[in-house]
Amino acid sequence: MKFNPDADLDTSGVEDTRGSGGGGRSGLPTGMIPVGGGIGGIILLVVILLLSGGLPGGGGSDQPATQNTAAGSLSNCKKGTDLQSNSNCRFVFYQNSIQSFWATELPRRGKKYTPAAMRVFDGSVNTGCGPATSAVGPFYCPPDKRVYLDIGFFQTLQTDLGARGGEFAEAYVVAHEYGHHVQNLYGILDRIKTRNGPTSDSVRSELQADCLAGVWTNHATTVPGKNGKPLITDLTQDDIARGLDAAASVGDDRIQQKTQGQVTPESFSHGTAAQRMHWFQTGMDSGDLTACDTWSARTL
């Protein structure tokens, strides 16, 4: 995966609160979250979709976060060359590219795009959905229209779930969460009624978000930054393979087999490894969000 050193980066939608103390009082009681099992069952989870409007614990805040002003802060990622001194600037590249794509694509289809900030935190964080900890993994909160991300999650993805990792595996995760934002803008998240099972609304929602991540992937090397120059200049077959591998590693069946030694389809909430790869690939092959209708698909 190659990033354009001549790109201008936009940090206005990236909130780096690492080191600010977060604010989640006690984290999410995992027993109250319908997941497939273990920490892996929580990752990539849009918790509010499954709990009809709020994360357990309540009391979240949508107040502006204290910005991390340290040298490694993402707020200092202004140019593509800043990646040389701060490797985490790659997350600004991901966010800028994904958001820039949807900000152009949705209006082209007659739908207004409302920007969604990405808040990077460590330890704990207050959200419009309630307090959360890093254990929740990356998630999207519809009430405050933000993607929440602890960068340390990606090490967990490799060490605990066996993913190969890499930059494009990270980009896939961020794109998946922004896929939920697109769903929110279309009112799709309101359709989630059934929370568990191989054909549940939750599974259909997660697979659709995978597909939307694939749609962005199809266009990733042509999406311009602030100065009109592409943000990402190359994606290799190895990058794509790592993205598909990340999708597979968070399949319900893989996670359940790792954490409980057996697979229980009736508790699926995200889809199997094969399904996640299939829908991510579908989005990549088509580059068209209309190919992502998991709600009408008879076979997921």
Side-chain angles (χ1 to χ4, degrees):
M1 189 172 188
K2 293 183 180 180
F3 304 100
N4 189 351
D6 296 324
D8 284 346
L9 301 178
D10 182 3
T11 59
S12 63
V14 180
E15 304 165 349
D16 191 350
T17 65
R18 292 173 297 163
S20 65
R25 292 189 300 275
S26 59
L28 300 178
T30 56
M32 297 180 66
I33 304 175
V35 297
I39 184 172
I42 305 173
I43 60 178
L44 301 180
L45 181 62
V46 187
V47 182
I48 36 307
L49 306 186
L50 307 180
L51 298 176
S52 303
L55 296 180
S61 171
D62 191 24
Q63 296 302 311
T66 301
Q67 291 298 306
N68 179 346
T69 57
S73 172
L74 299 185
S75 63
N76 295 325
C77 301
K78 303 296 186 182
K79 298 282 187 179
T81 51
D82 290 333
L83 189 64
Q84 297 172 10
S85 58
N86 182 0
S87 63
N88 284 338
C89 286
R90 66 190 186 275
F91 289 95
V92 181
F93 271 98
Y94 306 152
Q95 193 268 359
N96 280 195
S97 179
I98 295 163
Q99 183 135 270
S100 179
F101 170 69
W102 291 118
T104 299
E105 181 65 13
L106 264 59
R108 190 175 72 82
R109 295 177 177 276
K111 183 70 176 177
K112 181 181 178 181
Y113 182 81
T114 302
M118 181 175 74
R119 181 169 292 180
V120 179
F121 70 99
D122 55 7
S124 61
V125 64
N126 268 342
T127 82
C129 304
T133 70
S134 299
V136 177
F139 65 96
Y140 170 70
C141 175
D144 63 22
K145 293 184 174 64
R146 279 184 174 85
V147 168
Y148 289 87
L149 176 70
D150 184 333
I151 292 174
F153 158 78
F154 296 103
Q155 187 61 45
T156 299
L157 188 63
Q158 292 179 254
T159 57
D160 290 7
L161 297 176
R164 293 174 61 197
E167 292 169 343
F168 192 69
E170 297 169 345
Y172 151 72
V173 171
V174 177
H176 173 101
E177 299 309 333
Y178 270 96
H180 285 307
H181 178 58
V182 172
Q183 290 176 314
N184 193 30
L185 295 178
Y186 274 97
I188 293 173
L189 301 188
D190 295 334
R191 297 172 59 176
I192 304 229
K193 306 300 181 185
T194 55
R195 303 172 182 176
N196 295 100
T199 61
S200 64
D201 295 341
S202 176
V203 166
R204 292 180 186 276
S205 171
E206 296 298 332
L207 296 179
Q208 185 174 56
D210 282 336
C211 186
L212 293 173
V215 171
W216 163 75
T217 300
N218 178 282
H219 300 275
T221 57
T222 64
V223 179
K226 287 174 61 177
N227 60 357
K229 297 182 179 181
L231 291 155
I232 297 168
T233 58
D234 186 51
L235 286 177
T236 67
Q237 286 303 309
D238 182 63
D239 291 324
I240 300 302
R242 287 173 181 271
L244 287 166
D245 174 72
S249 71
V250 291
D252 283 323
D253 53 340
R254 293 273 186 94
I255 292 168
Q256 290 182 355
Q257 190 63 50
K258 273 183 174 293
T259 58
Q260 60 191 35
Q262 62 180 353
V263 177
T264 53
E266 63 271 18
S267 64
F268 283 179
S269 60
H270 288 63
T272 66
Q275 288 172 326
R276 301 203 69 163
M277 287 192 295
H278 167 74
W279 284 101
F280 185 36
Q281 187 75 58
T282 295
M284 284 194 290
D285 290 345
S286 67
D288 184 353
L289 64 83
T290 63
C292 299
D293 186 4
T294 55
W295 299 89
S296 298
R298 292 186 177 181
T299 302
L300 293 176

